[in-house]
Amino acid sequence: MEALLGAVDASRIQFALTVLFHFVFVPLSIGLGLIVAIFETKYYRSRKPEDKAASNLWIKIFTTTFVIGVASGITMEFSFGTNWANYSRFVGDIFGAPLAAEALFAFFLESTFLGILLFGRHKVKPKTYMISSWVVFGGSLLSALWILIANSWMQTPAGAELSADGVKATLTNFFEAAFNSSLLARYTHTIDALLIMGAFVAMAIGAYYLLKNRHTDFAMKTLRVGSAVALVTTCCMLVFAHMTAVGVSEEQPTKLAMMEGAYDSEAMPLYLIGYVDEDTQTVVAPVAIPGGTSFLASNNFDTVYPGMNQLAASDKYRAFDVDSAPVNLVFVNYHTMVACFGIIALIMLLALIFTRGKEKIRNMRWLQRLLVISPLVPLIAIECGWVTAEVGRQPWVVYPAISGPDGIELLTDQAISFSVSVPELITTIVIFSVIYLLLLVAWARMVGNYIKKGPQLDPEDADGAQADGTPTAPAAANAAATATAAGAAAKGGEGSVA
């Protein structure tokens, strides 16, 4: 078994499995957190039973997703102390603070106020309940900040020095380490991608109800909210993605070279689609913009960036092995992510145009079906972006960034624990796969059940309106009787004045 799969590869596969699964539910929970807050605010302002029912539905979907995200994230943190023990020894002095802060200041904040959303509807004031929805969303953003502080430090180390014995990084300045050079770009880029995901899920659920011709008023409200959020976040992504590209070009030259398949120094073209032939060190691509990547990174089409062969020959990146580098994997994932962004922008424009005005989307079955499956596009983009960022820094797990302190770097094959055997790793991979599959099925069944039922009125609101906001028969009769009585009284008043 060890002859077929080494401990390093098995450890990477195990961690990749847990992260890929976890990173399905993180985008959903953070993205849907904003949708929950928006709909609860809408109810706070309108006090309409149908808006309350809509908010309750989103809270159920969010909570179920949040729980699975928490459960799947625990295994990753445990692996830091098992098969990635040497990595933990190296970065422990740096990572202790942000990971503890994530639990104390973010997770507890988010969980506490989520408890109010689950159990406090009739126990706290409406304004407190509405504010709690925004605090839950803010807590998720804060949680993501601390996690990305830790991850960004691995990409661009700062505020640390190598210990005297050379076995670990020692913290010298917390704020320099936390606010390292790549944090802002990575945080804004990541969070914006997650909000795009939430917006597309909202549009998908709205389109599903239009297809089924159920809860159509809720469907149109959801489509309008989703398309508006998608518009803002998609436009912001142009800025944040550019910031990230500039940061990579300045700090991680080997990653930039792999992203564009540049083996030799050149003004890097921007490929729209293609693959890398690693044997001949060439990019096979039918369409390319000459100097396009150089322009995006430096605003100049003629800027020359070093290729992988030149970087591998340098002293700083001598550990980079061109022949074994996963160039095509990084190239394909990066360009898939970029292509997905173009599809996201197109779908967003279609939804935005046809949900306004005459609401033509009500009769556009093809667009409704497209929107139902549309969340797959941002999900693929997010996962491909993660692969680009993490695989692109190989063979380092702590990357020797341009601005990083001397000696602060760690190769992946030095980060694992040599006391964990390959059979043990294979066993955990199988166990995790089975458990994650069961969790995924359970989540899908629960959320699917919530969506099938749709927004449901609370019992105290059931006499006043139906789930789609229309009055029930008794309520309509009472309203008609009240209107008749009021008209009679008005006429009587006019006669007495005369």
Side-chain angles (χ1 to χ4, degrees):
M1 187 177 294
E2 294 191 28
L4 298 176
L5 187 66
V8 176
D9 290 334
S11 294
R12 293 180 66 189
I13 291 171
Q14 184 213 62
F15 196 77
L17 171 67
T18 58
V19 172
L20 284 170
F21 184 81
H22 177 65
F23 213 43
V24 170
F25 298 96
V26 170
L28 284 172
S29 60
I30 293 180
L32 292 178
L34 177 60
I35 303 300
V36 168
I38 290 173
F39 272 89
E40 181 56 34
T41 302
K42 184 177 180 62
Y43 168 62
Y44 174 74
R45 292 176 175 175
S46 71
R47 312 312 297 168
K48 293 180 179 179
E50 60 268 25
D51 289 337
K52 178 182 177 182
S55 177
N56 287 340
L57 173 62
W58 286 116
I59 290 171
K60 291 176 183 177
I61 296 174
F62 170 83
T63 303
T64 307
T65 305
F66 173 80
V67 169
I68 301 297
V70 171
S72 60
I74 293 174
T75 55
M76 291 191 302
E77 297 205 13
F78 273 112
S79 69
F80 291 149
T82 53
N83 49 311
W84 294 100
N86 288 338
Y87 163 78
S88 295
R89 293 187 186 98
F90 186 84
V91 303
D93 194 48
I94 311 296
F95 277 24
L99 292 182
E102 191 270 336
L104 293 173
F105 301 134
F107 178 72
F108 287 164
L109 175 72
E110 187 178 7
S111 301
T112 299
F113 282 88
L114 179 58
I116 294 177
L117 294 186
L118 290 175
F119 307 111
R121 172 73 79 178
H122 305 293
K123 296 179 175 64
V124 299
K125 294 181 180 179
K127 187 173 184 179
T128 301
Y129 194 88
M130 183 269 292
I131 292 174
S132 296
S133 68
W134 285 102
V135 174
V136 169
F137 174 59
S140 68
L141 299 183
L142 186 59
S143 180
L145 173 63
W146 290 112
I147 295 300
L148 284 168
I149 282 175
N151 186 269
S152 295
W153 188 90
M154 296 160 60
Q155 306 278 347
T156 52
E161 64 181 12
L162 193 65
S163 63
D165 57 8
V167 298
K168 68 176 183 178
T170 303
L171 184 67
T172 58
N173 188 309
F174 171 77
F175 291 102
E176 287 184 6
F179 300 101
N180 56 79
S181 62
S182 66
L183 174 65
L184 178 61
R186 289 170 57 79
Y187 181 73
T188 53
H189 188 168
T190 302
I191 293 300
D192 195 60
L194 309 190
L195 298 182
I196 290 175
M197 181 72 186
F200 271 66
V201 170
M203 291 192 295
I205 292 176
Y208 169 80
Y209 287 129
L210 288 184
L211 274 173
K212 299 297 183 180
N213 197 28
R214 297 172 52 234
H215 308 293
T216 54
D217 289 340
F218 168 77
M220 290 309 304
K221 290 177 182 177
T222 302
L223 282 166
R224 293 190 198 100
V225 169
S227 59
V229 173
L231 171 64
V232 174
T233 52
T234 302
C235 291
C236 288
M237 182 56 74
L238 293 170
V239 177
F240 299 148
H242 175 69
M243 290 169 55
T244 302
V246 171
V248 170
S249 69
E250 294 176 347
E251 294 284 0
Q252 298 180 297
T254 60
K255 180 186 291 186
L256 179 68
M258 283 199 284
M259 287 165 59
E260 291 298 348
Y263 282 90
D264 294 306
S265 301
E266 61 178 329
M268 291 187 182
L270 178 63
Y271 298 103
L272 301 184
I273 192 172
Y275 69 94
V276 178
D277 186 336
E278 296 179 357
D279 294 331
T280 60
Q281 296 190 354
T282 56
V283 176
V284 181
V287 182
I289 302 174
T293 296
S294 293
F295 176 79
L296 291 176
S298 67
N299 296 322
N300 189 333
F301 286 97
D302 299 322
T303 302
V304 175
Y305 287 96
M308 285 176 275
N309 290 322
Q310 288 71 39
L311 291 166
S314 68
D315 184 64
K316 188 175 183 67
Y317 299 106
R318 61 186 181 276
F320 184 81
D321 182 13
V322 177
D323 293 332
S324 62
V327 180
N328 192 52
L329 178 63
V330 175
F331 180 93
V332 170
N333 274 274
Y334 170 66
H335 288 85
T336 300
M337 177 187 67
V338 174
C340 285
F341 177 76
I343 299 173
I344 286 169
L346 176 61
I347 295 174
M348 177 273 296
L349 287 174
L350 290 173
L352 192 69
I353 292 170
F354 294 112
T355 55
R356 265 57 181 179
K358 296 181 180 180
E359 299 179 351
K360 295 181 180 179
I361 194 174
R362 289 179 181 267
N363 301 315
M364 301 173 71
R365 308 291 284 181
W366 67 269
L367 182 54
Q368 294 167 13
R369 294 188 179 95
L370 176 62
L371 289 176
V372 167
I373 63 173
S374 67
L376 291 175
V377 183
L379 178 60
I380 292 171
I382 288 170
E383 299 289 356
C384 288
W386 174 79
V387 171
T388 301
E390 306 308 316
V391 178
R393 70 170 175 225
Q394 296 303 317
W396 296 275
V397 67
V398 177
Y399 189 88
I402 295 296
S403 64
D406 291 337
I408 302 297
E409 61 179 272
L410 182 65
L411 291 167
T412 303
D413 60 8
Q414 298 173 354
I416 66 169
S417 172
F418 298 103
S419 62
V420 180
S421 67
V422 172
E424 290 172 333
L425 290 167
I426 297 296
T427 301
T428 60
I429 290 172
V430 173
I431 293 173
F432 287 165
S433 298
V434 172
I435 293 175
Y436 284 170
L437 179 61
L438 294 175
L439 288 175
L440 181 62
V441 171
W443 172 82
R445 287 176 63 87
M446 291 181 67
V447 172
N449 188 47
Y450 294 145
I451 294 173
K452 286 180 181 179
K453 290 182 179 179
Q456 301 291 309
L457 293 176
D458 283 345
E460 64 268 24
D461 300 323
D463 292 335
Q466 297 175 353
D468 61 359
T470 58
T472 60
N478 291 338
T482 302
T484 302
K491 287 189 177 183
E494 290 173 358
S496 62
V497 170

